[in-house]
Amino acid sequence: MKVHYPPFMISIAVIFFGLFLTSNAESTWWENNTADPPNIIVIFADDLGYGDLGVFGHPSNKTPHLDRMAYEGQKWTNFYVAAPVCTPSRAGLLTGRLPIRSGMCSDKRRVLFPDSKGGLPQTEITIARALKGNGYQTAAVGKWHLGHQSPFLPTDHGFDSYFGIPYSNDMDKVETTDHFTLAETERYQAYNVPILRDKTEVERPADQRTITKRYTDEVVGKIKDLKDKGPFFIYLAHSLPHIPLFRSEEFKDTSVGGIYGDVIEEVDWSVGQILETLKEEGIAENTLVVFTSDNGPWHTFRTHGGTAGLLRGAKGGTFEGGMREPTIFWWPGKIQPAVVTDMGTTMDLMPTFCALSNTKLPDDRVYDGFDITPLLMGTGKGKRETVFYYRGAQVYAIRKGDYKAHFITQLEYGNPTAHPVTNPPIPLENGATILEEPLLYNVNIDPGERFNIAADHPQIIAEIREVLAQHKAGLVPVENQLEK
Ligand code: MG
């Protein structure tokens, strides 16, 4: 017998079925997601400090796009990089491993230079190579600084394409005028840095006045070009606000924060362009975007550098300001909007991206990152318990939970003054000091590392010493790439 249901009953059934599908989709989004790998974009600023963004407390810089990105997504307030300077920090992000494991850190040369012969070894597996092996299209745009000759270039390391300045924008300096003065002149010709497309030099010296704009155009073009061909991974590493500072004509003298403020606001504009493109192209809800910076502000350049806000220290050093970075995760409809105070690091991106894309994380090596998907989705806790603060090839400090112990101290670039301690330090040749008794801070209660509480917590120091001993015992010596 054929049954005819009244229209209102059909409507109710459809609504209930829809609700069932919706709740089911929420409970099984993970399975759905792994079947539909997301696009991933990492935006990595250079030398942008913890306190440089409006949403991280800067009172003058206007960063509406990053602020909105944080409100729509997650603002991470305890997120670290692998090192307080460019080259090792980038090696850590792209490999998910501390740079000591790839030979990408050194006490003698802290970054790669134009005369360097080394670079990220082919034995390392970058995020790009891992995702490419799982069908991703990959593109690198901007600063590389992991070796500017083959086989160390982006297209040697899993990226389908590259466009950018292959090392720092202050290198290949051909004028004798000091950096500080040059920062006022915008004379880009003073730095004879190249721009490469893939492996071919297409411009020299790079006209850095338009570099942020051109990187942005490149990324926007890649998004439009790749979106219908499968999932993509785009790594945008801005050359700025690393000094020398440059901004395009549209941003000249438009901020109240001087040249540095103009530069930050152009980087913010760039983020806005990228997020807007994702929305216009209808792929925002299948794209994870991460924003962070490679190390703290460069205090050597005083007012030309940024600020670490309430954090102590800056670029080059292992106080918080050198390595804790303003970090935002954005993925509309997927990421639970929140302020996350759990610890995270750039080395967590590799295992997280692999998990999100159902890509197998290689099992033949040690990883220093953890999958932070449960924190992003609000479905569980993070696994990270420790953070290592390397300066060069040495562990200077370790954070375990709330507590951070400094075993060796040396302040940031441009600040030769020894850190005042209550116990007699042992001076080292490089100006650092090994502390007979470590300094201890509770960096949740005292993020500015102002009050040494070591005397009150000998047990915690003993526990952190044990973490250090175990870490050192697990390290395998490798060829150093920065000293070649
Ligand atoms: Mg840097």
Side-chain angles (χ1 to χ4, degrees), residues 14-28:
V14 166
I15 289 168
F16 271 98
F17 186 60
L19 285 171
F20 166 77
L21 279 183
T22 305
S23 63
N24 199 43
E26 282 172 1
S27 64
T28 60

Side-chain angles (χ1 to χ4, degrees), residues 27-355:
S27 64
T28 60
W29 73 268
W30 172 255
E31 288 81 356
N32 294 340
N33 186 63
T34 51
D36 187 13
N39 306 308
I40 299 169
I41 301 176
V42 172
I43 305 173
F44 205 34
D46 195 355
D47 295 6
L48 183 144
Y50 186 82
D52 276 335
L53 308 182
V55 69
F56 278 81
H58 199 285
S60 310
N61 293 340
K62 291 186 178 131
T63 55
H65 302 290
L66 282 156
D67 299 353
R68 184 174 172 186
M69 182 182 173
Y71 295 134
E72 291 177 352
Q74 286 186 355
K75 168 183 160 180
W76 283 57
T77 56
N78 284 258
F79 197 89
Y80 295 89
V81 284
V85 288
C86 298
T87 295
S89 175
R90 285 152 206 272
L93 184 152
L94 281 171
T95 64
R97 288 150 54 77
L98 283 165
I100 192 79
R101 302 192 195 280
S102 55
M104 291 296 281
C105 60
S106 161
D107 295 329
K108 294 177 182 160
R109 300 194 100 186
R110 296 194 59 192
V111 298
L112 290 166
F113 290 89
D115 65 352
S116 296
K117 302 286 188 288
L120 188 68
Q122 277 296 312
T123 48
E124 291 298 317
I125 299 170
T126 63
I127 295 173
R129 184 175 289 161
L131 295 182
K132 187 176 169 65
N134 194 25
Y136 271 69
Q137 309 162 90
T138 55
V141 179
K143 177 173 174 177
W144 179 240
H145 217 180
L146 295 174
H148 54 282
Q149 296 162 343
S150 275
F152 309 120
L153 284 163
T155 49
D156 297 313
H157 270 297
F159 287 100
D160 298 329
S161 65
Y162 173 60
F163 175 76
I165 299 173
Y167 38 70
S168 296
N169 67 337
D170 66 338
M171 293 180 170
D172 295 322
K173 187 163 170 280
V174 290
E175 294 190 12
T176 53
T177 313
D178 66 86
H179 286 289
F180 199 91
T181 305
L182 284 170
E184 300 278 359
T185 65
E186 296 197 307
R187 204 158 56 243
Y188 68 87
Q189 298 89 342
Y191 304 91
N192 194 32
V193 292
I195 292 180
L196 304 187
R197 181 164 289 283
D198 300 333
K199 295 183 180 178
T200 305
E201 184 179 305
V202 293
E203 185 174 313
R204 193 165 195 155
D207 184 348
Q208 297 194 47
R209 296 172 302 180
T210 55
I211 201 70
T212 297
K213 189 171 186 312
R214 286 193 282 167
Y215 287 170
T216 307
D217 291 345
E218 178 78 7
V219 170
V220 166
K222 284 288 173 192
I223 292 170
K224 292 179 176 176
D225 179 42
L226 302 179
K227 72 181 177 71
D228 295 324
K229 300 175 185 168
F232 59 76
F233 168 60
I234 298 176
Y235 171 65
L236 165 57
H238 279 293
S239 290
L240 294 163
H242 189 286
I243 291 153
L245 300 171
F246 297 96
R247 71 282 203 220
S248 60
E249 201 59 38
E250 294 93 315
F251 286 87
K252 211 167 182 177
D253 303 325
T254 54
S255 79
V256 296
I259 299 174
Y260 191 86
D262 292 351
V263 171
I264 292 292
E265 294 187 9
E266 186 164 14
V267 169
D268 178 70
W269 163 86
S270 170
V271 171
Q273 292 292 299
I274 291 166
L275 300 189
E276 195 56 38
T277 301
L278 295 173
K279 290 174 183 169
E280 285 172 3
E281 299 296 327
I283 55 172
E285 294 186 352
N286 193 34
T287 305
L288 167 64
V289 185
V290 185
F291 179 91
T292 190
S293 175
D294 72 331
N295 53 250
W298 203 355
H299 278 183
T300 310
F301 291 96
R302 298 161 58 85
T303 56
H304 281 307
T307 175
L310 83 172
L311 303 180
R312 182 177 187 164
K315 174 179 179 173
T318 48
F319 283 90
E320 292 291 289
M323 291 179 60
R324 197 192 294 205
E325 302 305 324
T327 302
I328 302 169
F329 289 82
W330 184 88
W331 187 0
K334 291 282 175 24
I335 281 181
Q336 288 289 324
V339 175
V340 176
T341 57
D342 296 64
M343 288 183 283
T345 78
T346 49
M347 292 170 290
D348 298 336
L349 299 181
M350 172 79 155
T352 302
F353 296 169
C354 283

